[in-house]
Amino acid sequence: QVRLAESGGGSVQVGESLRLSCEVSGYSGPGYCMAWFREAPGKEREGVASFYWSGKTVDVPQYLDSVKGRFTISRDNAANTASLSMNNLKPEDTGLYRCALSPFRPEDCFVERGPDFPWKTQGTQVTVSS
């Protein structure tokens, strides 16, 4: 059974940083597509970042335009954990961030598809205050 365990999040001031982590267990496929998406009241859900894990490398990382240059994906292979480092946070980054996993092939791994992935966490709140 696939399980995702998400950690991180919190409340920060504008310009500060946070790091979200998502640990994968129970997945037996050769590779997977992982994404983070966020939800906020009055806004549509939006994909924030995604990548394809081939079993050896992090491929085709994608980012929402508004977070490019501020958010970075990384992966700890030993811990089977991916992380999203979020720097220079802005009030518009506020939302419930959810990690999601899919067996999609790399050519189908798009940041916009995160909300449609079959496995998702309940989410962790990120609040950025000015």
Side-chain angles (χ1 to χ4, degrees), residues 47-50 61-65 67-68 71-74 84 111:
V48 175
S50 68
Q62 297 182 10
Y63 300 93
L64 180 69
D65 283 347
V67 309
K68 285 180 180 177
F71 289 14
T72 304
I73 294 166
S74 61
L84 182 68
V111 62

Side-chain angles (χ1 to χ4, degrees), residues 9-18 89-90 94 126-130:
S11 296
V12 296
Q13 299 294 312
V14 168
E16 293 185 341
S17 300
L18 285 172
L89 284 162
K90 303 177 180 181
T94 294
V126 171
T127 302
V128 185
S129 302
S130 57

Side-chain angles (χ1 to χ4, degrees), residues 43-117:
K43 290 185 175 182
E44 292 188 6
R45 290 185 302 182
E46 58 181 358
V48 175
S50 68
F51 70 95
Y52 181 79
W53 172 242
S54 67
K56 295 181 179 179
T57 56
V58 173
D59 298 329
V60 292
Q62 297 182 10
Y63 300 93
L64 180 69
D65 283 347
S66 64
V67 309
K68 285 180 180 177
R70 300 188 297 119
F71 289 14
T72 304
I73 294 166
S74 61
R75 194 176 186 282
D76 181 341
N77 296 343
N80 205 17
T81 298
S83 295
L84 182 68
S85 297
M86 306 184 295
N87 298 318
N88 190 22
L89 284 162
K90 303 177 180 181
E92 52 264 41
D93 295 319
T94 294
L96 183 69
Y97 283 68
R98 302 178 68 182
C99 172
L101 188 75
S102 169
F104 287 163
R105 299 170 299 176
E107 56 267 33
D108 297 321
C109 186
F110 297 110
V111 62
E112 299 87 355
R113 300 187 71 176
D116 301 325
F117 288 9

Side-chain angles (χ1 to χ4, degrees), residues 2-25:
V2 175
R3 294 186 184 274
L4 301 177
E6 187 172 18
S7 60
S11 296
V12 296
Q13 299 294 312
V14 168
E16 293 185 341
S17 300
L18 285 172
R19 183 183 179 96
L20 306 181
S21 292
C22 188
E23 180 182 3
V24 181
S25 61

Side-chain angles (χ1 to χ4, degrees), residues 32 97 121:
Y32 58 73
Y97 283 68
T121 62

